[in-house]
Amino acid sequence: MAGFLRRLRAGPGSRAGRRRGPGAGEKQGAPGPLLPGRRLWSALSERSLARQVFVLQLVIVLLLVLAAVAALVLHARNDSERAARDRGLATAQAFAHSPGMLRALRSADPTGVLQPRAEDARKRSRVDGIVVANREGVRYTHPNEDRIGKRIVADITRAQRGRVQVEEVEGTIGRIVRVIVPVTDSRGDVVGLVGVGIKVETVGAGDALPPLLGTAAGALVLAAAGTAWVTRRLRRQTKGLGPTEMTRMYEHHDAVLHAVHEGVVIVDGEGRLLLANDEASRLLDLPPDARGRPVPELGLEPRIEELLSTGRVATDEILPSGDRLLAVNSRPTGERGGPPGSVATFRDSTELSRLSGRVESARRRLRLLYDATGAIGTTLDVTRTAEELVRVAVPRLADYATVDLAEPVLRGDEPGPSYGSPQMRRTAFEGIRGDPPLMPVGELITFLPSSSQARSFAEERAVLEPRLNDSFGWALDAERAARITQAGIHSLIAAPLRARGVLLGVVTLWRSEKPEPFEEDDLSIADELAARAALSIDNARRYTREHAMAVTLQRRLLPRALPDQSAVEVASRYLPAAGGVSGDWFDVIPLPGARVALVIGDVVGRGLHAAATMGRLRTAVHNFSTLDVPPDELLAHLDELVGRIDQDAVTAGDEAAITGATCLYAIYDPVSRICVMARAGHPAPALMRPDGTVEFPEVPGGPPLGIGGLPFEAAELTLEEGSRLVVYSDGLIERRGQDLDTSLRALRLVLERARGSPEQICDAVIDGLLPVPQHDDIALLVARTHVLEAGQVAEWDVESDPAAVASVRAAVLGRLTEWGLDDIAFTTELILSELLTNAIQHATSPVQVRLLRDRTLLICEVSDGTSTSPHLRYAATTDEGGRGLFLVAQLADRWGTRYTKEGKVIWTEQALPESGGPAEASPAPVPAAAGGDGIGGGRAADVTEESNGRR
C-alpha cells in the first residue's frame, strides 16, 4: 500500500521519468492505455485504503440488508399473530355481546338459534370457527356439526371465571389463535362461552416476502454502486498519503489534544494511566511521572480514583477535586473491538455551576413574577387581593408573609399622607405554619419610625434586614422581636404597597425554614410583587368605593317604604348583583280614584351611571303618572324622553346611552277590578289566580325605551279579588345557557307551590330561583288585589239642569250619613256643589257623580263629556266668578283632573275623621281676595273653559 501511495504522489511525470527513452515501452511490451473501469479495478486490486473501505462498506451493507430482511420477516410474522389475536378477540366479543345472545342461550334449542348465526358470522368475519358453549363447555355450535354437544377439550377455567382467554396453539390445521370470551348476564354471572379460532396464516403476510427480497436485492445493488462511487472519490482525496503524512497528522492531533480546555485521560485494562493531556494534569494535579503508573498511586480524590479504576460509564457526573467541581464523562474503549480500558473527560464546572445557580435563581424569580401576574388581582376585592399576594409569596419566596393596609383602603377610600408612626390593619397572612409570633389578622398595628416597614414608607422602596439578630429597631417592641427570633425567623423584607403615588400599605416577607437570608436580588422581586399587587389593590379599592356609592345611590333612589293604599297589598325584594349594581327599579304609585300604579324597570349597564339613570327614569314615571294617562301613553312619553336624553348625550360626546332600558307599567282599579298594563321590552308578568292557577297574561311586548318609531299597546285584564300579580326584572329568570321558556316553567312551578301573603310569596320565589352566582340585579314585586265593595261606592247620573244639583246633594248627604261621615258632610256638600255646577254649566252630558269610601279617604268624582281642563286662578275683586275652584282647593286635601275615553273626571280627596286627617264641619275661611260667592247657583262658576290639548 505504501508503494501504491508513493506512486500516487509521484504522479504521471515520475513514471515518465523512470522510462529510459521514448521507445522503452515498446521494447518491454508495455500495455496500452487502460479504460476507466479497468483503472478502478487495478487500483482496488492493490492493498490500498480505498480497497479496504470498499470491501468493508460492501460487507456492512450486505449485513444490514440481511438484518433488515430478517427483521421484516419476523415483524411480518408477529403482525400476523397480532392481527389473528385482534380479529379473533373482536369477533368473539362482538358475537358474545350481540343482541339476543342471552335469550338464545336460555332458549329450549340454543343450537337451532345460534348455529346459523355463528356460521354466518364466521363467514363474514373470515375466521375458521365460532363455537358457542354453555358454562360447562358443552358446545352449542361448531363448523363441524358432528362436534355439537361435545365438551371443549381446552382449559376454559379462566373464561368460566369471567375473564377473556386468548392463547396460541398448534392444531391439526396448523398454528391457530384461540379466543374464548365469557357471556355474562345483567348480574355479571357467566352463563355461556363464545370461542373463536383463526389460523395465523389466514392473516399472514407471506405474500409480501418475494417483493421484500426483490427490494433488498435492489438496495444491495444500489449500495454496491454507491460504495464504488465513494471508494473512487476516497482514492482521489487521499492522494496516496504515506507514513510520513500519517505521522504528521498524528502530531497535529496530539497538539490539539493538549491545547483543548477539557481534560482527557486514557487508562488501560490493567488500570494504568496511558494518556493524560495538559488540562487533565492541571485539573487532577497529576505528578510529572504519572504516565504508566497505576491509578491508585496518583493521589487522586477517592471518587475520581474509583471511576478511573473501574472504568464504569459516567455521563456529566459532578465529582470534587480539591476546590473544584469536575463534570466527568467516562466510556470503556473495548466495547467495539478496541483495546481494553477506558477514556474519561474532565471539565471544570465550578464557575459554570455558580453561573448556572444564578441563572436558575433568576429563572425561579421570573417564574414567580409570571405566576403572580395571573394569580394576583383575579377579583375586585381588597382583602381577597391581599390574600392572593401572600399566597404567591409563600413558600416560593418566603416562609411567612403578611399584608397590612391603611384602614381607609379597606373602606374604598383613598388614604391620606402618613407621617411619624402610621397605623395599619393586618389584612392577610400566609405561612408554612399557622402559629408564628406575628400580629394576627385584623389587628391594628402602629409602626414605629425605626421599624423596617416605616423606613420602607419613607424611602419608597423595599427594605432588607438580612439577619435580624444583628439588627436593631426593626420590630415594634423588644419583647416581640425576641419571640420572633426565638421562633427561628432570621430575615425579612418590607416592601411598600404604593400605587398612583398613594401609599396603601406594606407587605412583609419573613424567612425561618430557608437557611439562607434574603439577598439584594430578592429586593427587586419583592418590589415588583408589591408594585403589581398595589395596582390590583388600588383597582379593587376604587371599585369598592364606586360599588358602595352605586349601591347607596340606588337604595336611596328606590322607594324607602311602599305607600299606604287600599287597592293592593304589596311586597317587594331588591337584590343587587354580585358583580356590581345595575339599574333595576320598582315603584308603587297611588292614583286618584283609589287606583294604584305598579311599575318595574331595568336600565342597561352597571355602576353609578346605571343607578343615576334609574333615578331619572323613576322620577319621570312619577311625573308622567300625575297626568293620569293610560299605560301605553305613559310609555310613549317615557320613550320620547329617553330618546331626547340619548340625543343630548351623543351631542355632548357621552357614550353612556340609556337606549335599551325596559319598563312595565300597570294600573289597577279596585272598583271595576280592571288592570290595564303595557310593557316596553320588559318580561311579561305572572298572574296567580285565587284558585292557585298560574298564567302569564298576553301583554303586547313593545320595543325597549329609546328605540322610537313603534307604538305601545296596552292589555286589559279583569282580576278577581285576591289575585296576585307578580312583576319582576330579567335577572330573576335569565340564565346563561338556559332558554327563557325553561326559566318561565321554573317560575310557574315555584308560584304554584307558593302560598300565603305577598311577603311569603316573595321569599318563596327568591329561595327557589335565586341564581348562584348572581350576575344581574333582581327586582321583584308581588301585589294581591283588593276590591271596593258595592257599599263603599255610590254613583248618580245628573241631568243637565241646575235644579238637579239640589237632589244630588241631598242624596250624597244621605249616603254620608249611612257611612257615618256626618263630620265632613258639610265640606263635601260645598265641594260637590261647586264641581257639579261647573259641569252642568260648562260641560256636556253625560254628567255623573261618584263617591268612594276608601279605608282612609273619601273620594268625590264628577265626570262629564268634555276634555277641557279647569285651571285654578285668583279672581279679581270685581269678578262675578272664578272663586269656586279656589274654594275647592282650600277644602279638599287633594284635587285634580284625569281624562277618560268619554271625557274627563274632576276628583277630590278628603281624609276620613278616624284617620286623623282634617275633618272640618264647616267651610274653611276664604281669603278676602277670593270673595264669597253663593253655593249651588250659577254665580259659583270658576272655570275658564280652555282646552289644554290633553285628551
Side-chain angles (χ1 to χ4, degrees):
M1 176 180 179
F4 173 66
L5 293 176
R6 282 195 298 272
R7 286 194 297 273
L8 283 178
R9 283 200 307 274
S14 298
R15 287 194 294 270
R18 283 195 295 269
R19 294 191 179 107
R20 299 287 184 174
E26 288 95 1
K27 293 181 181 178
Q28 296 178 1
L34 297 177
L35 296 176
R38 295 191 63 184
R39 285 201 302 268
L40 176 61
W41 177 253
S42 175
L44 294 177
S45 63
E46 303 181 23
R47 299 178 59 86
S48 64
L49 178 62
R51 177 183 177 186
Q52 295 175 5
V53 170
F54 175 77
V55 173
L56 179 61
Q57 289 189 354
L58 196 59
V59 170
I60 291 175
V61 169
L62 181 59
L63 293 176
L64 290 176
V65 169
L66 293 177
V69 171
L72 289 174
V73 170
L74 292 176
H75 184 67
R77 181 177 179 181
N78 292 335
D79 285 349
S80 299
E81 295 175 357
R82 184 165 55 253
R85 288 173 177 267
D86 293 344
R87 186 185 298 179
L89 181 59
T91 303
Q93 287 181 336
F95 196 75
H97 297 92
S98 62
M101 175 58 73
L102 290 176
R103 188 167 57 253
L105 289 173
R106 292 170 176 168
S107 65
D109 185 13
T111 299
V113 176
L114 296 174
Q115 177 67 11
R117 293 171 56 185
E119 286 303 299
D120 181 64
R122 179 180 65 83
K123 294 175 182 178
R124 289 176 178 272
S125 58
R126 292 183 297 172
V127 298
D128 295 296
I130 297 179
V131 177
V132 181
N134 61 12
R135 192 179 188 283
E136 288 72 22
V138 178
R139 299 185 181 98
Y140 289 149
T141 69
H142 196 279
N144 296 330
E145 296 184 358
D146 56 345
R147 297 188 182 182
I148 295 176
K150 297 180 181 181
R151 298 180 67 87
I152 298 175
V153 296
D155 182 12
I156 59 174
T157 305
R158 182 182 179 89
Q160 288 175 335
R161 293 176 180 171
R163 303 177 67 179
V164 176
Q165 183 173 330
V166 182
E167 56 188 353
E168 185 177 339
V169 297
E170 289 290 342
T172 57
I173 60 175
R175 188 159 53 94
I176 64 173
V177 172
R178 182 166 57 202
V179 179
I180 302 177
V181 174
V183 180
T184 59
D185 57 12
S186 59
R187 297 177 303 178
D189 296 335
V190 177
V191 298
L193 306 173
V194 174
V196 173
I198 180 172
K199 291 190 294 185
V200 175
E201 65 183 23
T202 304
V203 292
D207 296 338
L209 191 57
L212 181 63
L213 295 176
T215 303
L220 182 59
V221 172
L222 291 177
T227 302
W229 180 77
V230 170
T231 301
R232 184 175 180 181
R233 290 182 58 86
L234 178 63
R235 186 174 65 88
R236 291 177 179 178
Q237 293 174 0
T238 56
K239 296 181 180 179
L241 291 177
T244 303
E245 289 79 3
M246 298 297 292
T247 301
R248 187 180 299 115
M249 184 179 296
Y250 170 78
E251 292 173 352
H252 291 167
H253 291 173
D254 188 66
V256 173
L257 179 66
H258 290 282
V260 297
H261 290 284
E262 184 168 352
V264 180
V265 172
I266 300 177
V267 180
D268 63 11
E270 297 179 357
R272 295 179 179 275
L273 182 65
L274 293 182
L275 175 67
N277 66 350
D278 295 342
E279 183 68 10
S281 300
R282 185 184 70 84
L283 295 176
L284 301 178
D285 197 16
L286 296 176
D289 58 345
R291 181 174 296 183
R293 295 174 58 180
V295 172
E297 298 179 3
L298 301 178
L300 303 175
E301 293 285 345
R303 295 178 60 185
I304 296 179
E305 179 183 324
E306 180 269 336
L307 175 68
L308 296 179
S309 299
T310 58
R312 63 180 175 83
V313 176
T315 301
D316 290 334
E317 187 172 334
I318 304 299
L319 299 178
S321 178
D323 58 349
R324 300 184 181 93
L325 291 176
L326 305 181
V328 183
N329 289 273
S330 177
R331 295 290 186 275
T333 58
E335 286 185 345
R336 299 185 179 181
S342 63
V343 58
T345 62
F346 299 87
R347 285 177 291 123
D348 188 356
S349 64
T350 305
E351 293 298 328
L352 181 61
S353 177
R354 295 191 185 120
L355 180 60
S356 299
R358 290 196 294 269
V359 170
E360 178 63 20
S361 178
R363 188 193 66 81
R364 288 196 301 267
R365 293 188 180 100
L366 289 176
R367 184 66 186 179
L368 176 64
L369 292 178
Y370 176 79
D371 293 342
T373 302
I376 299 176
T378 60
T379 64
L380 290 173
D381 182 81
V382 173
T383 302
R384 180 75 175 274
T385 305
E387 292 171 349
E388 290 171 345
L389 170 59
V390 296
R391 281 198 294 268
V392 166
V394 177
R396 298 167 65 178
L397 181 61
D399 296 320
Y400 300 99
T402 58
V403 172
D404 308 305
L405 298 177
E407 288 203 86
V409 175
L410 299 175
R411 299 191 300 267
D413 300 329
E414 182 172 311
S418 58
Y419 304 102
S421 302
Q423 286 188 334
M424 294 189 179
R425 181 81 59 183
R426 178 137 299 171
T427 308
F429 164 80
E430 184 72 19
I432 56 176
R433 292 194 301 269
D435 56 347
L438 302 175
M439 289 285 192
V441 174
E443 191 79 13
L444 184 63
I445 303 174
T446 301
F447 293 107
L448 301 178
S450 62
S451 65
S452 304
Q453 291 82 357
R455 286 192 289 120
S456 73
F457 302 155
E459 299 175 10
E460 298 186 358
R461 63 178 181 85
V463 172
L464 169 64
E465 296 289 352
R467 292 176 178 82
L468 299 184
N469 289 326
D470 301 336
S471 303
F472 302 95
W474 54 268
L476 302 180
D477 55 74
E479 179 183 355
R480 185 170 296 277
R483 292 205 306 269
I484 290 175
T485 54
Q486 289 172 4
I489 299 177
H490 57 81
S491 183
L492 74 80
I493 290 178
L497 297 171
R498 186 178 295 275
R500 302 179 178 96
V502 178
L503 178 65
L504 306 175
V506 62
V507 55
T508 308
L509 308 175
W510 316 75
R511 275 189 179 174
S512 63
E513 297 295 325
K514 293 180 174 63
E516 65 276 4
F518 286 113
E519 302 174 350
E520 291 294 332
D521 291 340
D522 297 319
L523 278 178
S524 60
I525 299 299
D527 264 330
E528 185 67 23
L529 279 178
R532 298 187 182 191
L535 188 60
S536 298
I537 290 174
D538 192 54
N539 291 337
R541 176 191 66 80
R542 291 169 175 240
Y543 171 78
T544 301
R545 178 182 60 185
E546 182 176 342
H547 180 70
M549 293 173 59
V551 171
T552 302
L553 176 63
Q554 184 166 39
R555 291 197 179 278
R556 289 189 176 274
L557 292 177
L558 288 173
R560 300 287 187 87
L562 299 179
D564 186 20
Q565 40 77 40
S566 302
V568 291
E569 178 186 355
V570 183
S572 64
R573 295 290 185 274
Y574 172 72
L575 301 175
V581 175
S582 64
D584 292 14
W585 95 92
F586 60 88
D587 226 329
V588 178
I589 305 174
L591 297 178
R595 298 168 303 139
V596 66
L598 304 176
V599 191
I600 191 164
D602 188 3
V603 173
V604 178
R606 295 183 182 276
L608 289 173
H609 171 75
T613 302
M614 178 272 291
R616 298 172 71 180
L617 293 184
R618 179 170 177 256
T619 302
V621 170
H622 267 273
N623 291 335
F624 289 140
S625 68
T626 60
L627 301 177
D628 209 347
V629 295
D632 52 342
E633 186 176 343
L634 183 141
L635 290 181
H637 290 312
L638 196 62
D639 178 69
E640 182 181 358
L641 174 65
V642 170
R644 287 202 305 269
I645 292 175
D646 277 350
Q647 185 176 3
D648 294 342
V650 171
T651 303
D654 187 2
E655 297 181 358
I658 61 176
T659 296
T662 65
C663 181
L664 183 145
Y665 188 84
I667 297 177
Y668 173 68
D669 187 349
V671 178
S672 63
R673 297 186 292 109
I674 292 177
C675 179
V676 182
M677 63 180 69
R679 60 190 179 105
H682 203 82
L687 178 61
M688 302 174 63
R689 297 290 184 181
D691 59 359
T693 59
V694 177
E695 61 184 71
F696 294 94
E698 291 293 336
V699 180
L705 299 175
I707 302 298
L710 295 175
F712 297 95
E713 299 181 48
E716 188 174 290
L717 306 175
T718 301
L719 305 180
E720 301 89 344
E721 184 175 10
S723 298
R724 284 150 294 185
L725 190 65
V726 181
V727 293
Y728 48 87
S729 61
D730 56 1
L732 182 68
I733 59 173
E734 289 188 354
R735 302 288 186 275
R736 295 179 181 177
Q738 179 174 305
D739 61 273
L740 187 60
D741 291 339
T742 302
S743 299
L744 292 178
R745 284 195 297 270
L747 175 61
R748 182 193 298 272
L749 292 176
V750 171
L751 293 177
E752 287 175 347
R753 293 193 297 265
R755 295 291 184 271
S757 65
E759 288 286 344
Q760 293 172 322
I761 294 175
C762 283
D763 291 337
V765 171
I766 295 300
D767 292 342
L769 297 178
L770 181 65
V772 179
Q774 181 185 342
H775 297 290
D776 195 5
D777 287 12
I778 294 177
L780 175 65
L781 198 65
V782 178
R784 180 163 59 188
T785 61
H786 296 308
V787 175
L788 288 182
E789 303 294 340
Q792 296 176 270
V793 181
E795 293 181 324
W796 295 272
D797 293 330
V798 183
E799 298 178 1
S800 297
D801 184 1
V805 174
S807 60
V808 173
R809 190 167 55 226
V812 169
L813 291 176
R815 180 55 61 94
L816 292 177
T817 301
E818 294 178 8
W819 288 345
L821 300 178
D822 293 330
D823 293 340
I824 59 174
F826 185 71
T827 305
T828 305
E829 182 183 7
L830 290 177
I831 294 172
L832 181 62
S833 297
E834 290 296 333
L835 297 180
L836 192 55
T837 302
N838 287 340
I840 292 175
Q841 289 187 356
H842 301 284
T844 60
S845 299
V847 178
Q848 291 181 326
V849 174
R850 186 172 73 163
L851 287 182
L852 304 176
R853 187 184 187 278
D854 197 1
R855 180 165 48 88
T856 59
L857 296 173
L858 176 65
I859 302 169
C860 179
E861 297 179 346
V862 176
S863 61
D864 56 57
T866 62
S867 58
T868 55
S869 175
H871 298 280
L872 181 66
R873 62 185 178 86
Y874 283 95
T877 305
T878 58
D879 289 345
E880 295 184 1
R883 299 174 181 85
L885 194 58
F886 186 85
L887 186 62
V888 170
Q890 295 295 315
L891 296 177
D893 294 334
R894 293 176 63 218
W895 75 280
T897 306
R898 75 172 185 268
Y899 298 91
T900 64
K901 296 178 181 179
E902 295 79 13
K904 69 174 182 297
V905 176
I906 308 296
W907 56 268
T908 63
E909 291 181 355
Q910 298 169 263
L912 300 181
E914 59 265 28
S915 66
E920 297 87 355
S922 60
V926 179
D933 279 357
I935 301 173
R939 297 183 60 191
D942 63 327
V943 178
T944 302
E945 293 294 340
E946 298 175 356
S947 174
N948 63 0
R950 296 189 180 274
R951 296 183 179 271

